[in-house]
Amino acid sequence: MSSLDKRTAERGEPSGGSAGPVPKSVAARTLRILDTFDSGHCELSLSDISRRSGLPVATCHRLVGELVEWGGLLRTGGRYRIGHKLWSLGLLSESHHGLAELAAPYMHDVLFLTKHVVNLFVLDGAHALLLERISGTQPGRALHRVGDRLALHASAGGKAFLAYGPPELAKAALANPQRLTPNTVIDPTRLRRELEQVRRKGYAVTLEEAVRGAHGIAVPVTAADGSVLAALGVVTVGTRPRPAAIVPVLQIAARSIAREAGRLAVRGGPAA
Amino acid sequence: MSSLDKRTAERGEPSGGSAGPVPKSVAARTLRILDTFDSGHCELSLSDISRRSGLPVATCHRLVGELVEWGGLLRTGGRYRIGHKLWSLGLLSESHHGLAELAAPYMHDVLFLTKHVVNLFVLDGAHALLLERISGTQPGRALHRVGDRLALHASAGGKAFLAYGPPELAKAALANPQRLTPNTVIDPTRLRRELEQVRRKGYAVTLEEAVRGAHGIAVPVTAADGSVLAALGVVTVGTRPRPAAIVPVLQIAARSIAREAGRLAVRGGPAA
DNA sequence: CGGCGCTTTCCACTCAGTGGAACCCGCCCT
DNA sequence: AGGGCGGGTTCCACTGAGTGGAAAGCGCCG
């Protein structure tokens, strides 16, 4: 029994990968291996995977091998990355993707009128999930990519969710706001006041609160029954956004998207 | 032993799902379950999955349960579909995605000038993989979606690959061309002659060869060293495309994309 | 040359996974 | 009502797939 204790103790917590105890079922272990990949770690070595997953190397070796054979991971040199199988599989996720597709034309309109990068977010648990993005015409490195998850308190879209979503969501988000830049607002009372203002004015802004030099402005996409389907926003780099020019455009687009989504009338937005 | 034979016989071939024998390893079985989903089957019931995978229901039930708990599948009613976990995971597949991102602005330009749906393909084995698509402004039913794989001999982008790619690729594709519509060209000599023409004129067309009523026109995206990086095309529905108006636009965009891609390829690794 | 970190292979033990069978439930047909 | 049907769910005794420590292989650096 002492050997068992030792084993568990030595394993310790995974260095920074997926949290939680090591799962016993093979399937869960396989999936945990996939979990070790995220936007900051899209290329991992075998031992990276082992460390981040908390699984023994030998086990990882075998499971990773199966994933590679399947096509879910691909191996280049001694490193692994997500393969095209998973990519095309993920695209079948109709859930929110229908919304992205339907919103795209209106997002183009916003791009055409404002010349800024246009973002569409849905609420995913305690994060704003970047569902669709229309990049501006100037080829530059993007701040965020489709599929990224942003903090609710530090993104314009996120603030829209906090302002118009259920109160318990805001409560949870204001509990421990992370500081991301010197400008991030982490004081709960000040955040609460900001949300009040969002509700009054009808749009949310962030000024270099998530990324230095980047400003955001967003409006909620509200369904007929008042629920928030999504958040639509633009990003400006360098210069501050001018609400007078941007907000009306966003609001018209948001209303069109909501109407279109309602017409589709299948089932509502993101599962909580 | 007879019971074993009977079992194998009764199981038979999966009705139309993933081919090959039933794998013995748990991991492979789990992944096989994911394989039962494709663009034509994005919502499956448990017994659908069982049939298409060739795995017993009880086994599917358990594995699917784990996938749901993980977030890779999501259950609505009695049906399953791909969940957002797999979606965002798939987006980490850097492999070609950088190209899609860099091409997007130029594809917007093509949309703006031609008003047609714009497609960007890369070669994926013996298929043209739809990497990025800029849908037109009119919200309508899309013919193909990002992630779909198209036959090489029946799509404009595919023909571009056949015409400008390695000869063995064309050889393989001309071996057994599937008929998809009454207009599909399946005669190898005629196809070969068409490819000759593509090389001479610099662009490829399809006239209702993959989908009735839909025409395609595409040009190759050629790198400085002459290799074909991708194919860029537009789709017209109903009316035939007018090459004189469309091809120059496509070619300019293709050159820009190739140039941009070349610039990007210089830097070695994707820095974290 | 010896040490270090990573990957790969091996193999005896054992427990997770298996899947047939029974059960439950909603639906349609008669 | 009844009963047949096509799902989904639960159960459990059996067993071989999966496990993971250990050791060998490999490339790199000082």
Side-chain angles (χ1 to χ4, degrees), chain A residues 136-171:
Chain A
T137 328
Q138 62 275 60
R141 71 142 188 31
L143 298 172
H144 298 292
R145 352 195 22 167
V146 171
D148 278 356
R149 288 177 168 76
L150 278 68
L152 289 176
H153 69 285
S155 58
K159 283 183 192 173
F161 288 123
L162 292 180
Y164 292 95
E168 52 271 25
L169 181 72
K171 200 170 197 175

PDB file of all heavy atoms in Angstrom, chain A residues 136-171:
ATOM      1  N   GLY A 136     -10.526  41.611 -41.463  1.00  0.00           N
ATOM      2  CA  GLY A 136     -10.470  42.781 -42.322  1.00  0.00           C
ATOM      3  C   GLY A 136      -9.658  42.499 -43.566  1.00  0.00           C
ATOM      4  O   GLY A 136      -9.083  41.425 -43.730  1.00  0.00           O
ATOM      5  N   THR A 137      -9.596  43.471 -44.443  1.00  0.00           N
ATOM      6  CA  THR A 137      -8.923  43.257 -45.716  1.00  0.00           C
ATOM      7  C   THR A 137      -7.420  43.359 -45.571  1.00  0.00           C
ATOM      8  O   THR A 137      -6.682  42.832 -46.402  1.00  0.00           O
ATOM      9  CB  THR A 137      -9.413  44.290 -46.747  1.00  0.00           C
ATOM     10  OG1 THR A 137     -10.774  44.585 -46.454  1.00  0.00           O
ATOM     11  CG2 THR A 137      -9.323  43.734 -48.149  1.00  0.00           C
ATOM     12  N   GLN A 138      -6.940  44.040 -44.540  1.00  0.00           N
ATOM     13  CA  GLN A 138      -5.489  44.123 -44.400  1.00  0.00           C
ATOM     14  C   GLN A 138      -4.978  42.833 -43.765  1.00  0.00           C
ATOM     15  O   GLN A 138      -5.408  42.452 -42.696  1.00  0.00           O
ATOM     16  CB  GLN A 138      -5.049  45.345 -43.589  1.00  0.00           C
ATOM     17  CG  GLN A 138      -5.525  45.397 -42.154  1.00  0.00           C
ATOM     18  CD  GLN A 138      -6.905  45.988 -42.039  1.00  0.00           C
ATOM     19  OE1 GLN A 138      -7.850  45.464 -42.599  1.00  0.00           O
ATOM     20  NE2 GLN A 138      -7.017  47.049 -41.284  1.00  0.00           N
ATOM     21  N   PRO A 139      -4.066  42.156 -44.492  1.00  0.00           N
ATOM     22  CA  PRO A 139      -3.539  40.910 -43.954  1.00  0.00           C
ATOM     23  C   PRO A 139      -2.596  41.211 -42.807  1.00  0.00           C
ATOM     24  O   PRO A 139      -1.557  41.792 -42.995  1.00  0.00           O
ATOM     25  CB  PRO A 139      -2.772  40.293 -45.139  1.00  0.00           C
ATOM     26  CG  PRO A 139      -2.846  41.277 -46.256  1.00  0.00           C
ATOM     27  CD  PRO A 139      -3.420  42.548 -45.738  1.00  0.00           C
ATOM     28  N   GLY A 140      -3.000  40.841 -41.627  1.00  0.00           N
ATOM     29  CA  GLY A 140      -2.133  41.026 -40.469  1.00  0.00           C
ATOM     30  C   GLY A 140      -2.380  39.879 -39.530  1.00  0.00           C
ATOM     31  O   GLY A 140      -3.305  39.119 -39.726  1.00  0.00           O
ATOM     32  N   ARG A 141      -1.583  39.748 -38.530  1.00  0.00           N
ATOM     33  CA  ARG A 141      -1.809  38.627 -37.636  1.00  0.00           C
ATOM     34  C   ARG A 141      -3.029  38.931 -36.759  1.00  0.00           C
ATOM     35  O   ARG A 141      -3.209  40.034 -36.260  1.00  0.00           O
ATOM     36  CB  ARG A 141      -0.568  38.341 -36.831  1.00  0.00           C
ATOM     37  CG  ARG A 141      -0.225  39.367 -35.758  1.00  0.00           C
ATOM     38  CD  ARG A 141       0.322  38.679 -34.527  1.00  0.00           C
ATOM     39  NE  ARG A 141       0.505  39.578 -33.396  1.00  0.00           N
ATOM     40  CZ  ARG A 141      -0.212  40.651 -33.114  1.00  0.00           C
ATOM     41  NH1 ARG A 141      -1.177  41.019 -33.930  1.00  0.00           N
ATOM     42  NH2 ARG A 141       0.027  41.367 -32.037  1.00  0.00           N
ATOM     43  N   ALA A 142      -3.863  37.941 -36.663  1.00  0.00           N
ATOM     44  CA  ALA A 142      -5.122  38.132 -35.974  1.00  0.00           C
ATOM     45  C   ALA A 142      -4.907  38.053 -34.466  1.00  0.00           C
ATOM     46  O   ALA A 142      -4.029  37.347 -33.985  1.00  0.00           O
ATOM     47  CB  ALA A 142      -6.112  37.077 -36.408  1.00  0.00           C
ATOM     48  N   LEU A 143      -5.716  38.791 -33.742  1.00  0.00           N
ATOM     49  CA  LEU A 143      -5.633  38.760 -32.284  1.00  0.00           C
ATOM     50  C   LEU A 143      -6.200  37.452 -31.753  1.00  0.00           C
ATOM     51  O   LEU A 143      -5.615  36.799 -30.910  1.00  0.00           O
ATOM     52  CB  LEU A 143      -6.419  39.933 -31.709  1.00  0.00           C
ATOM     53  CG  LEU A 143      -5.903  41.307 -32.112  1.00  0.00           C
ATOM     54  CD1 LEU A 143      -6.872  42.373 -31.658  1.00  0.00           C
ATOM     55  CD2 LEU A 143      -4.526  41.526 -31.498  1.00  0.00           C
ATOM     56  N   HIS A 144      -7.345  37.111 -32.259  1.00  0.00           N
ATOM     57  CA  HIS A 144      -8.000  35.892 -31.797  1.00  0.00           C
ATOM     58  C   HIS A 144      -8.435  35.085 -33.003  1.00  0.00           C
ATOM     59  O   HIS A 144      -8.588  35.616 -34.097  1.00  0.00           O
ATOM     60  CB  HIS A 144      -9.216  36.242 -30.935  1.00  0.00           C
ATOM     61  CG  HIS A 144      -8.855  37.002 -29.711  1.00  0.00           C
ATOM     62  ND1 HIS A 144      -8.136  36.443 -28.683  1.00  0.00           N
ATOM     63  CD2 HIS A 144      -9.089  38.280 -29.350  1.00  0.00           C
ATOM     64  CE1 HIS A 144      -7.956  37.349 -27.747  1.00  0.00           C
ATOM     65  NE2 HIS A 144      -8.514  38.485 -28.119  1.00  0.00           N
ATOM     66  N   ARG A 145      -8.663  33.797 -32.759  1.00  0.00           N
ATOM     67  CA  ARG A 145      -9.060  32.948 -33.849  1.00  0.00           C
ATOM     68  C   ARG A 145     -10.379  32.281 -33.513  1.00  0.00           C
ATOM     69  O   ARG A 145     -10.713  32.116 -32.348  1.00  0.00           O
ATOM     70  CB  ARG A 145      -8.027  31.869 -34.105  1.00  0.00           C
ATOM     71  CG  ARG A 145      -6.747  32.039 -33.313  1.00  0.00           C
ATOM     72  CD  ARG A 145      -5.689  31.170 -33.878  1.00  0.00           C
ATOM     73  NE  ARG A 145      -6.028  30.870 -35.256  1.00  0.00           N
ATOM     74  CZ  ARG A 145      -5.213  30.340 -36.110  1.00  0.00           C
ATOM     75  NH1 ARG A 145      -4.013  30.054 -35.736  1.00  0.00           N
ATOM     76  NH2 ARG A 145      -5.612  30.083 -37.341  1.00  0.00           N
ATOM     77  N   VAL A 146     -11.062  31.890 -34.567  1.00  0.00           N
ATOM     78  CA  VAL A 146     -12.313  31.176 -34.356  1.00  0.00           C
ATOM     79  C   VAL A 146     -12.036  29.959 -33.476  1.00  0.00           C
ATOM     80  O   VAL A 146     -11.061  29.249 -33.698  1.00  0.00           O
ATOM     81  CB  VAL A 146     -12.907  30.740 -35.707  1.00  0.00           C
ATOM     82  CG1 VAL A 146     -14.075  29.808 -35.501  1.00  0.00           C
ATOM     83  CG2 VAL A 146     -13.321  31.953 -36.513  1.00  0.00           C
ATOM     84  N   GLY A 147     -12.869  29.751 -32.469  1.00  0.00           N
ATOM     85  CA  GLY A 147     -12.683  28.627 -31.557  1.00  0.00           C
ATOM     86  C   GLY A 147     -12.041  29.039 -30.254  1.00  0.00           C
ATOM     87  O   GLY A 147     -12.082  28.301 -29.276  1.00  0.00           O
ATOM     88  N   ASP A 148     -11.456  30.228 -30.227  1.00  0.00           N
ATOM     89  CA  ASP A 148     -10.850  30.712 -28.986  1.00  0.00           C
ATOM     90  C   ASP A 148     -11.914  31.036 -27.952  1.00  0.00           C
ATOM     91  O   ASP A 148     -13.037  31.404 -28.290  1.00  0.00           O
ATOM     92  CB  ASP A 148     -10.015  31.970 -29.251  1.00  0.00           C
ATOM     93  CG  ASP A 148      -8.634  31.632 -29.787  1.00  0.00           C
ATOM     94  OD1 ASP A 148      -8.327  30.436 -29.871  1.00  0.00           O
ATOM     95  OD2 ASP A 148      -7.892  32.569 -30.110  1.00  0.00           O
ATOM     96  N   ARG A 149     -11.511  30.901 -26.696  1.00  0.00           N
ATOM     97  CA  ARG A 149     -12.407  31.253 -25.602  1.00  0.00           C
ATOM     98  C   ARG A 149     -11.848  32.466 -24.873  1.00  0.00           C
ATOM     99  O   ARG A 149     -10.685  32.453 -24.478  1.00  0.00           O
ATOM    100  CB  ARG A 149     -12.554  30.080 -24.636  1.00  0.00           C
ATOM    101  CG  ARG A 149     -13.377  28.965 -25.208  1.00  0.00           C
ATOM    102  CD  ARG A 149     -13.450  27.774 -24.283  1.00  0.00           C
ATOM    103  NE  ARG A 149     -14.466  26.851 -24.743  1.00  0.00           N
ATOM    104  CZ  ARG A 149     -14.322  26.031 -25.771  1.00  0.00           C
ATOM    105  NH1 ARG A 149     -13.184  26.007 -26.417  1.00  0.00           N
ATOM    106  NH2 ARG A 149     -15.300  25.236 -26.138  1.00  0.00           N
ATOM    107  N   LEU A 150     -12.681  33.488 -24.711  1.00  0.00           N
ATOM    108  CA  LEU A 150     -12.216  34.718 -24.081  1.00  0.00           C
ATOM    109  C   LEU A 150     -12.867  34.899 -22.720  1.00  0.00           C
ATOM    110  O   LEU A 150     -13.987  34.437 -22.487  1.00  0.00           O
ATOM    111  CB  LEU A 150     -12.554  35.922 -24.970  1.00  0.00           C
ATOM    112  CG  LEU A 150     -11.595  36.201 -26.125  1.00  0.00           C
ATOM    113  CD1 LEU A 150     -11.664  35.108 -27.171  1.00  0.00           C
ATOM    114  CD2 LEU A 150     -11.935  37.534 -26.756  1.00  0.00           C
ATOM    115  N   ALA A 151     -12.160  35.588 -21.855  1.00  0.00           N
ATOM    116  CA  ALA A 151     -12.705  35.881 -20.529  1.00  0.00           C
ATOM    117  C   ALA A 151     -13.905  36.810 -20.673  1.00  0.00           C
ATOM    118  O   ALA A 151     -13.886  37.740 -21.485  1.00  0.00           O
ATOM    119  CB  ALA A 151     -11.640  36.519 -19.654  1.00  0.00           C
ATOM    120  N   LEU A 152     -14.936  36.562 -19.892  1.00  0.00           N
ATOM    121  CA  LEU A 152     -16.160  37.350 -20.012  1.00  0.00           C
ATOM    122  C   LEU A 152     -15.969  38.801 -19.565  1.00  0.00           C
ATOM    123  O   LEU A 152     -16.556  39.713 -20.141  1.00  0.00           O
ATOM    124  CB  LEU A 152     -17.282  36.711 -19.185  1.00  0.00           C
ATOM    125  CG  LEU A 152     -17.840  35.394 -19.751  1.00  0.00           C
ATOM    126  CD1 LEU A 152     -18.871  34.811 -18.792  1.00  0.00           C
ATOM    127  CD2 LEU A 152     -18.455  35.635 -21.110  1.00  0.00           C
ATOM    128  N   HIS A 153     -15.141  38.993 -18.544  1.00  0.00           N
ATOM    129  CA  HIS A 153     -15.051  40.343 -17.974  1.00  0.00           C
ATOM    130  C   HIS A 153     -14.092  41.240 -18.747  1.00  0.00           C
ATOM    131  O   HIS A 153     -14.030  42.426 -18.495  1.00  0.00           O
ATOM    132  CB  HIS A 153     -14.594  40.260 -16.519  1.00  0.00           C
ATOM    133  CG  HIS A 153     -13.167  39.815 -16.398  1.00  0.00           C
ATOM    134  ND1 HIS A 153     -12.788  38.509 -16.593  1.00  0.00           N
ATOM    135  CD2 HIS A 153     -12.032  40.494 -16.126  1.00  0.00           C
ATOM    136  CE1 HIS A 153     -11.476  38.408 -16.423  1.00  0.00           C
ATOM    137  NE2 HIS A 153     -10.998  39.600 -16.142  1.00  0.00           N
ATOM    138  N   ALA A 154     -13.345  40.656 -19.690  1.00  0.00           N
ATOM    139  CA  ALA A 154     -12.326  41.457 -20.369  1.00  0.00           C
ATOM    140  C   ALA A 154     -12.534  41.537 -21.868  1.00  0.00           C
ATOM    141  O   ALA A 154     -11.640  41.910 -22.596  1.00  0.00           O
ATOM    142  CB  ALA A 154     -10.928  40.897 -20.053  1.00  0.00           C
ATOM    143  N   SER A 155     -13.709  41.138 -22.340  1.00  0.00           N
ATOM    144  CA  SER A 155     -13.979  41.271 -23.762  1.00  0.00           C
ATOM    145  C   SER A 155     -15.326  41.967 -23.934  1.00  0.00           C
ATOM    146  O   SER A 155     -16.221  41.817 -23.098  1.00  0.00           O
ATOM    147  CB  SER A 155     -14.004  39.895 -24.433  1.00  0.00           C
ATOM    148  OG  SER A 155     -14.979  39.068 -23.838  1.00  0.00           O
ATOM    149  N   ALA A 156     -15.448  42.711 -25.014  1.00  0.00           N
ATOM    150  CA  ALA A 156     -16.685  43.457 -25.220  1.00  0.00           C
ATOM    151  C   ALA A 156     -17.861  42.492 -25.344  1.00  0.00           C
ATOM    152  O   ALA A 156     -18.910  42.678 -24.721  1.00  0.00           O
ATOM    153  CB  ALA A 156     -16.563  44.333 -26.465  1.00  0.00           C
ATOM    154  N   GLY A 157     -17.666  41.442 -26.139  1.00  0.00           N
ATOM    155  CA  GLY A 157     -18.725  40.443 -26.285  1.00  0.00           C
ATOM    156  C   GLY A 157     -19.081  39.825 -24.933  1.00  0.00           C
ATOM    157  O   GLY A 157     -20.255  39.646 -24.604  1.00  0.00           O
ATOM    158  N   GLY A 158     -18.059  39.510 -24.166  1.00  0.00           N
ATOM    159  CA  GLY A 158     -18.278  38.914 -22.854  1.00  0.00           C
ATOM    160  C   GLY A 158     -19.097  39.817 -21.951  1.00  0.00           C
ATOM    161  O   GLY A 158     -20.028  39.373 -21.271  1.00  0.00           O
ATOM    162  N   LYS A 159     -18.776  41.111 -21.976  1.00  0.00           N
ATOM    163  CA  LYS A 159     -19.524  42.046 -21.134  1.00  0.00           C
ATOM    164  C   LYS A 159     -20.988  42.111 -21.546  1.00  0.00           C
ATOM    165  O   LYS A 159     -21.871  42.291 -20.706  1.00  0.00           O
ATOM    166  CB  LYS A 159     -18.898  43.440 -21.204  1.00  0.00           C
ATOM    167  CG  LYS A 159     -17.627  43.572 -20.377  1.00  0.00           C
ATOM    168  CD  LYS A 159     -17.107  44.999 -20.449  1.00  0.00           C
ATOM    169  CE  LYS A 159     -15.697  45.090 -19.877  1.00  0.00           C
ATOM    170  NZ  LYS A 159     -15.120  46.437 -20.101  1.00  0.00           N
ATOM    171  N   ALA A 160     -21.213  41.966 -22.848  1.00  0.00           N
ATOM    172  CA  ALA A 160     -22.609  41.951 -23.303  1.00  0.00           C
ATOM    173  C   ALA A 160     -23.349  40.773 -22.682  1.00  0.00           C
ATOM    174  O   ALA A 160     -24.491  40.903 -22.234  1.00  0.00           O
ATOM    175  CB  ALA A 160     -22.664  41.875 -24.831  1.00  0.00           C
ATOM    176  N   PHE A 161     -22.698  39.621 -22.630  1.00  0.00           N
ATOM    177  CA  PHE A 161     -23.329  38.460 -22.002  1.00  0.00           C
ATOM    178  C   PHE A 161     -23.572  38.719 -20.522  1.00  0.00           C
ATOM    179  O   PHE A 161     -24.622  38.374 -19.979  1.00  0.00           O
ATOM    180  CB  PHE A 161     -22.463  37.212 -22.169  1.00  0.00           C
ATOM    181  CG  PHE A 161     -22.434  36.678 -23.561  1.00  0.00           C
ATOM    182  CD1 PHE A 161     -21.245  36.528 -24.236  1.00  0.00           C
ATOM    183  CD2 PHE A 161     -23.623  36.320 -24.197  1.00  0.00           C
ATOM    184  CE1 PHE A 161     -21.223  36.035 -25.528  1.00  0.00           C
ATOM    185  CE2 PHE A 161     -23.609  35.821 -25.491  1.00  0.00           C
ATOM    186  CZ  PHE A 161     -22.400  35.686 -26.153  1.00  0.00           C
ATOM    187  N   LEU A 162     -22.597  39.316 -19.872  1.00  0.00           N
ATOM    188  CA  LEU A 162     -22.738  39.564 -18.437  1.00  0.00           C
ATOM    189  C   LEU A 162     -23.878  40.541 -18.171  1.00  0.00           C
ATOM    190  O   LEU A 162     -24.630  40.390 -17.214  1.00  0.00           O
ATOM    191  CB  LEU A 162     -21.431  40.123 -17.866  1.00  0.00           C
ATOM    192  CG  LEU A 162     -20.256  39.147 -17.842  1.00  0.00           C
ATOM    193  CD1 LEU A 162     -19.026  39.824 -17.247  1.00  0.00           C
ATOM    194  CD2 LEU A 162     -20.609  37.905 -17.057  1.00  0.00           C
ATOM    195  N   ALA A 163     -23.990  41.538 -19.038  1.00  0.00           N
ATOM    196  CA  ALA A 163     -24.993  42.576 -18.813  1.00  0.00           C
ATOM    197  C   ALA A 163     -26.408  42.067 -19.076  1.00  0.00           C
ATOM    198  O   ALA A 163     -27.347  42.412 -18.363  1.00  0.00           O
ATOM    199  CB  ALA A 163     -24.693  43.783 -19.695  1.00  0.00           C
ATOM    200  N   TYR A 164     -26.531  41.238 -20.107  1.00  0.00           N
ATOM    201  CA  TYR A 164     -27.874  40.832 -20.513  1.00  0.00           C
ATOM    202  C   TYR A 164     -28.218  39.393 -20.150  1.00  0.00           C
ATOM    203  O   TYR A 164     -29.347  38.964 -20.330  1.00  0.00           O
ATOM    204  CB  TYR A 164     -28.043  41.038 -22.021  1.00  0.00           C
ATOM    205  CG  TYR A 164     -28.045  42.494 -22.421  1.00  0.00           C
ATOM    206  CD1 TYR A 164     -26.894  43.131 -22.852  1.00  0.00           C
ATOM    207  CD2 TYR A 164     -29.227  43.233 -22.343  1.00  0.00           C
ATOM    208  CE1 TYR A 164     -26.889  44.460 -23.201  1.00  0.00           C
ATOM    209  CE2 TYR A 164     -29.239  44.569 -22.696  1.00  0.00           C
ATOM    210  CZ  TYR A 164     -28.068  45.175 -23.127  1.00  0.00           C
ATOM    211  OH  TYR A 164     -28.084  46.501 -23.471  1.00  0.00           O
ATOM    212  N   GLY A 165     -27.232  38.664 -19.675  1.00  0.00           N
ATOM    213  CA  GLY A 165     -27.479  37.273 -19.323  1.00  0.00           C
ATOM    214  C   GLY A 165     -28.036  37.150 -17.913  1.00  0.00           C
ATOM    215  O   GLY A 165     -28.326  38.141 -17.265  1.00  0.00           O
ATOM    216  N   PRO A 166     -28.200  35.936 -17.434  1.00  0.00           N
ATOM    217  CA  PRO A 166     -28.709  35.698 -16.092  1.00  0.00           C
ATOM    218  C   PRO A 166     -27.753  36.267 -15.037  1.00  0.00           C
ATOM    219  O   PRO A 166     -26.546  36.243 -15.234  1.00  0.00           O
ATOM    220  CB  PRO A 166     -28.778  34.168 -16.006  1.00  0.00           C
ATOM    221  CG  PRO A 166     -27.878  33.663 -17.086  1.00  0.00           C
ATOM    222  CD  PRO A 166     -27.921  34.693 -18.156  1.00  0.00           C
ATOM    223  N   PRO A 167     -28.288  36.780 -13.946  1.00  0.00           N
ATOM    224  CA  PRO A 167     -27.475  37.423 -12.905  1.00  0.00           C
ATOM    225  C   PRO A 167     -26.416  36.488 -12.324  1.00  0.00           C
ATOM    226  O   PRO A 167     -25.311  36.930 -11.990  1.00  0.00           O
ATOM    227  CB  PRO A 167     -28.507  37.786 -11.833  1.00  0.00           C
ATOM    228  CG  PRO A 167     -29.842  37.709 -12.494  1.00  0.00           C
ATOM    229  CD  PRO A 167     -29.717  36.747 -13.613  1.00  0.00           C
ATOM    230  N   GLU A 168     -26.753  35.189 -12.220  1.00  0.00           N
ATOM    231  CA  GLU A 168     -25.775  34.279 -11.609  1.00  0.00           C
ATOM    232  C   GLU A 168     -24.512  34.149 -12.463  1.00  0.00           C
ATOM    233  O   GLU A 168     -23.430  33.863 -11.944  1.00  0.00           O
ATOM    234  CB  GLU A 168     -26.382  32.889 -11.346  1.00  0.00           C
ATOM    235  CG  GLU A 168     -27.069  32.244 -12.530  1.00  0.00           C
ATOM    236  CD  GLU A 168     -28.556  32.623 -12.606  1.00  0.00           C
ATOM    237  OE1 GLU A 168     -28.925  33.689 -12.080  1.00  0.00           O
ATOM    238  OE2 GLU A 168     -29.332  31.835 -13.183  1.00  0.00           O
ATOM    239  N   LEU A 169     -24.665  34.391 -13.750  1.00  0.00           N
ATOM    240  CA  LEU A 169     -23.497  34.365 -14.622  1.00  0.00           C
ATOM    241  C   LEU A 169     -22.549  35.495 -14.246  1.00  0.00           C
ATOM    242  O   LEU A 169     -21.343  35.292 -14.077  1.00  0.00           O
ATOM    243  CB  LEU A 169     -23.939  34.518 -16.081  1.00  0.00           C
ATOM    244  CG  LEU A 169     -22.826  34.481 -17.112  1.00  0.00           C
ATOM    245  CD1 LEU A 169     -22.272  33.076 -17.247  1.00  0.00           C
ATOM    246  CD2 LEU A 169     -23.312  34.996 -18.458  1.00  0.00           C
ATOM    247  N   ALA A 170     -23.094  36.695 -14.116  1.00  0.00           N
ATOM    248  CA  ALA A 170     -22.284  37.852 -13.753  1.00  0.00           C
ATOM    249  C   ALA A 170     -21.662  37.646 -12.377  1.00  0.00           C
ATOM    250  O   ALA A 170     -20.491  37.945 -12.157  1.00  0.00           O
ATOM    251  CB  ALA A 170     -23.148  39.115 -13.764  1.00  0.00           C
ATOM    252  N   LYS A 171     -22.456  37.095 -11.481  1.00  0.00           N
ATOM    253  CA  LYS A 171     -21.975  36.845 -10.126  1.00  0.00           C
ATOM    254  C   LYS A 171     -20.723  35.974 -10.165  1.00  0.00           C
ATOM    255  O   LYS A 171     -19.700  36.281  -9.548  1.00  0.00           O
ATOM    256  CB  LYS A 171     -23.072  36.122  -9.338  1.00  0.00           C
ATOM    257  CG  LYS A 171     -22.936  36.216  -7.842  1.00  0.00           C
ATOM    258  CD  LYS A 171     -24.201  35.685  -7.193  1.00  0.00           C
ATOM    259  CE  LYS A 171     -24.303  36.114  -5.742  1.00  0.00           C
ATOM    260  NZ  LYS A 171     -25.604  35.686  -5.178  1.00  0.00           N
TER     261      LYS A 171
END
